[in-house]
Amino acid sequence: MKSRTDLRTDARADSRAGFRTDRAGFRTDIEGLRAVAVLAVVGFHADIPYFTGGYTGVDVFFVISGFLITGLLVKEIRETGRVRIANFYARRARRILPSAAVVLVATLVASWFILSPLRRPDVAWDAITSAFSMANWRFIAHNTDYMAAGQSQSPLLHFWSLAVEEQFYLLLAPLLWLLARRFRRSIAPVLLVVTVASFALSLYWTQLNQSLAYMASPTRAWQFGLGGLLALVAWKPRGERVPQALRTFTAHALGVLGAAAVALSVILFTSKTPFPGWAAVLPTLGAVALIAAGPRGVIGRVLSLAPMRKIGQLSFAWYLWHWPVIVLFEAYAGEQSWPVKSLVAAASLLPAWLTMRYVEQPLRYAKALRQGARPSLNLGLAATVLPLVAALAVGSGSLREMTGGLNIQLVGAATGSRLVTNPVTDGIVPSPLDASTDYPQSGKCEVAPDGTTSPECLFANKEAKGRIVLFGDSHADQWFPVAQDIAQHHGWALEDLTKMGCPAAKMTVHSPQLGREYTECDTWRSNTLQRIADGPKPKMIIVGELNQYGKSAEDLAKAWKPTLKALVATGAPVVYLRDTPMPGMDIPDCVSGADDPAECAFPAKPALREDLIAENPPKGVHVVDVVDAVCPDGRMCPAVKDGVLLYRDDSHLTNTAAKALGPRIEEQIRRLGVLQ
């Protein structure tokens, strides 16, 4: 994702390395390789068939950056004996920040008109962290799944990779400056150590948390490092004894192998591929091989063709523009098929070309900006402040819009009375702005994805005469306030045994966050069932989970049987809570942007998967079903009922809604004869 200036390396060094360049020492094949990388990423984001692994285009960009930037800095060290850090940062600021600022501001403006008030503050924070090259850490903190489908993605999500690159620039120049001053011969060994350590960390973190491993700069440094090591090799004379025929054959072989590796990663990898980890080796080494092959081989000649170079010149601007255009178009028009998304991505070439033509190139070649480092650094500062100001305006304006500009109290919410300052959201409890934090107050009882044992989560007073158990995933934990009220009414304790994304039913599922099979879930389930069996007999066991696991309702029902059999064997009454409807959209987001909450109602039939356990429960299992309360007419399910916002996201009930349903659930349990 670099400029033509970045691609200009020392022609004499390229000759020694066996690379063919044009008269200015410009690597035409690398410009074409940038086209391959951006086409892969755009194809992936547009859901084009056979581009399921197109996210590996980012890996190719990282290798290119490592090669070019390291090569430029090493060239400067060889020619001057030092690294002029201010000048280096000035070139980076002039090249990257103005175009990025244009896209950030344009995205913020478009978000104001297209997105709901609830989503805009998040986009504003995304823009602020993107402007300061810290977007990757923000998305990591929010456990963002870059390859997730069907969720509301940030239009600035792709800025994570730009942040990783700029963090690489920030650290590489001072490192080489230090080594050039004192330990010039240690440049290659130090870079090798950093590369190996980063790769080892990537393997380790990929197993723990794929979101962390995917977007963290420490786990991506090895890809820049390999490109940098290749640049160092390019400076080593190979001698003239190598026959020309062998050089040509090597260029052909490396080019073909590299192209095959990149192509296979794009075609064969999917969102379920554990990444980066070992899988990232294929596209990374493929990029290394393609750069090492140079333009001499057949693949290098293809990459050097004019159409490829044209796309390569546009790659940085197109990368910046294509994703927000796709996301905002779908936010406006709804989810689209891949042909439509492909056309939308192609349409983003227009703003990309305009940005390159009227922002990127003029500023890059402006004489006034090339006279020392200060003018370019000042430009970079302005390009950072401008999105910051725009983000603050959008964020604060959205908050004022959602609150009506007033600090008000929700008086009479329990009776459903309405306040008049905002006819859409005032009087709704919780408000769309607060819905995401209206979750069960169960402390740290819900086990994280990498956990295999529930903590000691017993809620009781000293006089408790027994306990009830709440067992399942986050859809079971949403009923925590109901279970707690039942326990308190009968003088019992409540033991919360829940784990996010983990079915109580005996089945192995895939974890998007971990990027692999959720083996921790299987271990946790086994440990929990044993814990329930070994403890005192519960007064009651309440179980529930998301009713979407497995390929079919039959698969899920089959997986439930061994779990329910083990629970019934304890001798305790087992209450099975049928899952609530799945809206398929973010309800608070919809309500915040609607003229009337009724617009956010969703059809009941597609939101309710068949539940064979609820229809035909095993012996000893008692079914409680509140679907008729959530979807009263059986046809449409409201987003707001009796002044209560029912969902806190696209799946879970708000804590307020769960509490409101508590008496109904307790009454059903009493009628079943479970409560004595």
Side-chain angles (χ1 to χ4, degrees):
M1 294 180 286
K2 301 296 164 288
S3 69
R4 186 181 181 97
T5 301
D6 296 333
L7 293 171
R8 296 187 183 280
T9 58
D10 187 78
R12 183 173 52 193
D14 281 339
S15 177
R16 290 174 178 173
F19 298 148
R20 182 170 62 86
T21 65
D22 65 13
R23 293 180 181 178
F26 177 69
R27 288 289 300 274
T28 55
D29 59 311
I30 292 182
E31 190 165 55
L33 183 57
R34 292 166 62 211
V36 171
V38 76
L39 287 170
V41 173
V42 172
F44 169 67
H45 286 157
D47 294 330
I48 298 176
Y50 304 108
F51 279 80
T52 54
Y55 52 85
T56 56
V58 173
D59 302 63
V60 176
F61 276 132
F62 287 166
V63 175
I64 293 173
S65 293
F67 175 79
L68 296 174
I69 299 304
T70 304
L72 288 171
L73 292 173
V74 170
K75 173 188 175 183
E76 185 175 4
I77 292 172
R78 287 179 174 269
E79 292 180 347
T80 67
R82 61 193 179 96
V83 173
R84 292 172 293 182
I85 296 180
N87 287 344
F88 173 76
Y89 289 152
R91 290 194 299 269
R92 297 298 90 215
R94 189 170 65 244
R95 167 66 182 94
I96 293 174
L97 297 183
S99 296
V102 168
V103 175
L104 290 175
V105 172
T107 301
L108 286 165
V109 172
S111 296
W112 178 266
F113 292 101
I114 296 175
L115 299 183
S116 69
L118 189 61
R119 284 188 65 186
R120 291 181 216 147
D122 283 335
V123 176
W125 277 112
D126 295 343
I128 291 172
T129 53
S130 296
F132 286 95
S133 302
M134 296 297 291
N136 60 323
W137 296 110
R138 169 171 167 79
F139 294 127
I140 288 170
H142 286 75
N143 289 316
T144 303
D145 182 5
Y146 178 75
M147 292 176 278
Q151 67 181 46
S152 298
Q153 296 279 33
S154 167
L156 300 175
L157 177 58
H158 63 317
F159 268 79
W160 76 268
S161 62
L162 193 62
V164 170
E165 282 205 30
E166 296 197 43
Q167 289 161 28
F168 163 70
Y169 301 150
L170 186 66
L171 296 176
L172 181 66
L175 175 63
L176 293 185
W177 173 83
L178 177 62
L179 295 176
R181 286 175 61 89
R182 300 287 184 180
F183 315 102
R184 186 177 301 183
R185 294 185 179 181
S186 301
I187 292 178
V190 169
L191 191 57
L192 178 61
V193 169
V194 171
T195 300
V196 172
S198 170
F199 180 65
L201 184 64
S202 175
L203 297 179
Y204 178 63
W205 280 4
T206 300
Q207 294 300 310
L208 293 181
N209 187 322
Q210 184 168 330
S211 177
L212 173 63
Y214 192 90
M215 296 185 182
S217 44
T219 53
R220 293 297 194 148
W222 67 278
Q223 296 175 306
F224 295 98
L226 284 179
L229 289 170
L230 179 61
L232 294 177
V233 171
W235 281 94
K236 299 294 183 181
R238 293 183 179 177
E240 300 300 329
R241 296 182 179 179
V242 179
Q244 181 66 33
L246 181 58
R247 291 186 184 183
T248 302
F249 173 80
T250 302
H252 284 307
L254 285 174
V256 171
L257 290 174
V262 172
L264 286 174
S265 67
V266 170
I267 296 171
L268 299 181
F269 290 0
T270 69
S271 60
K272 293 185 177 181
T273 302
F275 206 88
W278 284 106
V281 172
L282 186 63
T284 302
L285 290 185
V288 169
L290 285 168
I291 296 173
R296 184 186 303 275
V298 60
I299 300 298
R301 293 170 185 169
V302 172
L303 294 175
S304 299
L305 293 175
M308 297 297 291
R309 294 181 61 181
K310 289 293 184 182
I311 298 175
Q313 291 172 9
L314 263 174
S315 62
F316 178 59
W318 195 21
Y319 180 86
L320 291 178
W321 275 105
H322 82 282
W323 179 245
V325 169
I326 290 175
V327 171
L328 293 173
F329 180 82
E330 287 200 310
Y332 175 78
E335 188 174 351
Q336 303 294 319
S337 63
W338 73 264
V340 175
K341 292 176 73 171
S342 300
L343 290 175
V344 173
S348 67
L349 281 168
L350 176 59
W353 181 84
L354 292 173
T355 301
M356 182 191 71
R357 177 67 178 82
Y358 295 105
V359 178
E360 178 184 326
Q361 291 182 343
L363 293 177
R364 188 173 71 201
Y365 296 121
K367 292 183 179 180
L369 295 176
R370 297 167 67 90
Q371 303 299 319
R374 180 172 295 181
S376 294
L377 293 176
N378 289 337
L379 174 66
L381 178 61
T384 301
V385 171
L386 184 61
L388 173 62
V389 173
L392 292 175
V394 169
S396 60
S398 299
L399 292 176
R400 285 196 301 272
E401 183 177 341
M402 284 187 286
T403 59
L406 299 173
N407 292 321
I408 59 175
Q409 294 181 344
L410 296 176
V411 181
T415 61
S417 62
R418 309 287 295 183
L419 298 180
V420 297
T421 55
N422 187 320
V424 178
T425 61
D426 288 343
I428 295 177
V429 183
S431 71
L433 183 61
D434 298 327
S436 63
T437 58
D438 191 43
Y439 46 78
Q441 302 303 306
S442 54
K444 297 182 179 179
C445 293
E446 191 178 5
V447 182
D450 57 346
T452 57
T453 304
S454 287
E456 190 67 31
C457 274
L458 196 64
F459 298 84
N461 54 44
K462 295 180 180 179
E463 291 77 27
K465 302 175 182 179
R467 84 189 198 285
I468 63 176
V469 173
L470 180 63
F471 175 42
D473 62 3
S474 60
H475 276 234
D477 195 54
Q478 73 181 359
W479 299 114
F480 173 83
V482 178
Q484 188 177 38
D485 285 347
I486 293 174
Q488 290 176 348
H489 292 165
H490 293 79
W492 298 333
L494 169 63
E495 187 174 19
D496 188 308
L497 302 174
T498 54
K499 178 175 171 64
M500 62 179 67
C502 180
K506 189 177 181 180
M507 60 174 12
T508 300
V509 295
H510 181 270
S511 170
Q513 185 174 353
L514 298 174
R516 55 175 171 79
E517 286 191 340
Y518 202 177
T519 55
E520 291 86 350
C521 173
D522 298 333
T523 304
W524 172 83
R525 184 190 309 112
S526 177
N527 290 341
T528 303
L529 288 172
Q530 191 64 48
R531 177 170 167 175
I532 295 173
D534 292 344
K537 177 184 173 181
K539 295 292 184 179
M540 179 171 58
I541 301 173
I542 301 175
V543 297
E545 69 180 30
L546 172 71
N547 188 30
Q548 302 292 323
Y549 296 112
K551 295 181 179 179
S552 66
E554 290 76 12
D555 288 342
L556 184 55
K558 183 178 179 181
W560 261 116
K561 290 181 179 179
T563 296
L564 294 175
K565 181 178 180 181
L567 295 176
V568 170
T570 65
V574 177
V575 173
Y576 175 88
L577 285 173
R578 185 183 180 186
D579 193 25
T580 45
M582 290 279 291
M585 61 178 172
D586 190 307
I587 292 296
D589 176 47
C590 179
V591 171
S592 73
D595 293 330
D596 186 333
E599 298 176 9
C600 300
F602 54 94
K605 187 174 181 179
L608 282 170
R609 186 183 191 183
E610 184 181 15
D611 191 328
L612 300 180
I613 295 297
E615 295 173 4
N616 186 24
K619 184 178 180 180
V621 177
H622 308 272
V623 176
V624 170
D625 187 349
V626 294
V627 170
D628 60 339
V630 180
C631 304
D633 65 5
R635 185 178 61 85
M636 295 295 293
C637 305
V640 177
K641 185 174 184 290
D642 298 329
V644 174
L645 184 62
L646 295 182
Y647 290 86
R648 69 176 188 258
D649 49 29
D650 61 351
S651 172
H652 301 86
L653 295 179
T654 61
N655 202 51
T656 304
K659 286 182 177 180
L661 291 168
R664 186 184 185 92
I665 292 174
E666 186 169 359
E667 178 60 25
Q668 285 194 43
I669 294 175
R670 191 180 302 278
R671 290 179 181 178
L672 291 168
V674 175
L675 292 175
Q676 302 298 329

